[in-house]
Amino acid sequence: AIFLLLLIYFRRLHGVLIPFIAAWVTAIWGLGFTGWTEITFDPLVLVIPMIITARAVSHTVQMAERFFEDYEVILPQMDGDTEKAKIEAATVAMAELIVPGTLGIVTDFLGLLVIMITSIQQMRDLAIFGSFWVFAILFTVELLHPIMICYLPAPHDAQHYLPGFMVRGMDRLGHYVTDRIGKWVI
């Protein structure tokens, strides 16, 4: 469902393929670590890997969104050279998101490690495999994503696609919350 929504939203290979690969690599690393440490999944914690993988997709979508925004601005400056513009946009997007993205991932990592203080072994196992799984996002999103952008073909359409219903909805919401009456209701 997530990847169908990404396809509807991005309408580009970069916006669907890269989050899909990042999610799979993160899941493979997380499951591999879990098997290597001989931690067994209890049915009560099976939802946690899905949430962590969704977090990886979220970080990747943020990076893709930023890449498309930068690509739209940089392409005209490169006189239509799509390859140079693609690499420059990937570099700019990574430079702008490396600090906040890394901070978010490290915060998630440390938050899961806090669970280690419990005396319940199942929760301690969750803290161990969950924190590793989250830490793997650092590599799959912050490093692998810009590399994959550089190897995929440049987007054909430089215009960043925004669904009309979203633009209209955000315009209405923006006007309402800044309106004379709406700001007081909010």
Side-chain angles (χ1 to χ4, degrees):
I2 289 172
F3 296 106
L4 178 64
L5 290 171
L6 289 176
L7 183 63
I8 292 168
Y9 178 73
F10 280 115
R11 298 180 183 210
R12 296 178 181 175
L13 181 66
H14 294 78
V16 179
L17 184 64
I18 294 174
F20 185 76
I21 291 171
W24 273 103
V25 170
T26 303
I28 289 168
W29 287 2
L31 289 169
F33 178 80
T34 304
W36 179 63
T37 55
E38 298 179 359
I39 295 174
T40 56
F41 281 124
D42 188 280
L44 296 174
V45 296
L46 279 177
V47 73
I48 301 301
M50 290 182 196
I51 292 171
I52 294 171
T53 303
R55 191 80 171 115
V57 170
S58 168
H59 279 283
T60 309
V61 167
Q62 289 173 9
M63 181 76 81
E65 184 73 21
R66 189 62 198 207
F67 165 74
F68 290 130
E69 289 171 1
D70 291 336
Y71 183 75
E72 184 178 348
V73 171
I74 291 172
L75 185 61
Q77 298 169 359
M78 298 285 178
D79 297 323
D81 187 346
T82 57
E83 286 303 311
K84 280 185 180 178
K86 174 182 71 169
I87 292 170
E88 181 67 22
T91 304
V92 169
M94 183 179 178
E96 292 171 343
L97 293 178
I98 192 86
V99 172
T102 302
L103 267 168
I105 293 166
V106 168
T107 302
D108 292 344
F109 168 77
L110 294 173
L112 279 165
L113 276 182
V114 168
I115 300 172
M116 289 281 293
I117 63 173
T118 186
S119 60
I120 304 168
Q121 186 58 43
Q122 177 185 10
M123 297 307 290
R124 294 175 66 105
D125 290 346
L126 168 67
I128 293 167
F129 84 76
S131 60
F132 177 84
W133 203 313
V134 166
F135 195 71
I137 296 172
L138 189 65
F139 299 98
T140 59
V141 173
E142 304 288 332
L143 299 176
L144 185 61
H145 186 246
I147 292 169
M148 286 191 289
I149 285 174
C150 292
Y151 281 103
L152 285 172
H156 297 293
D157 186 15
Q159 183 64 31
H160 183 64
Y161 172 75
L162 292 171
F165 75 92
M166 287 179 69
V167 172
R168 288 187 301 276
M170 290 295 107
D171 281 346
R172 282 189 208 117
L173 182 63
H175 288 299
Y176 177 71
V177 300
T178 58
D179 171 83
R180 204 169 43 121
I181 297 170
K183 68 181 178 182
W184 295 108
V185 172
I186 296 298

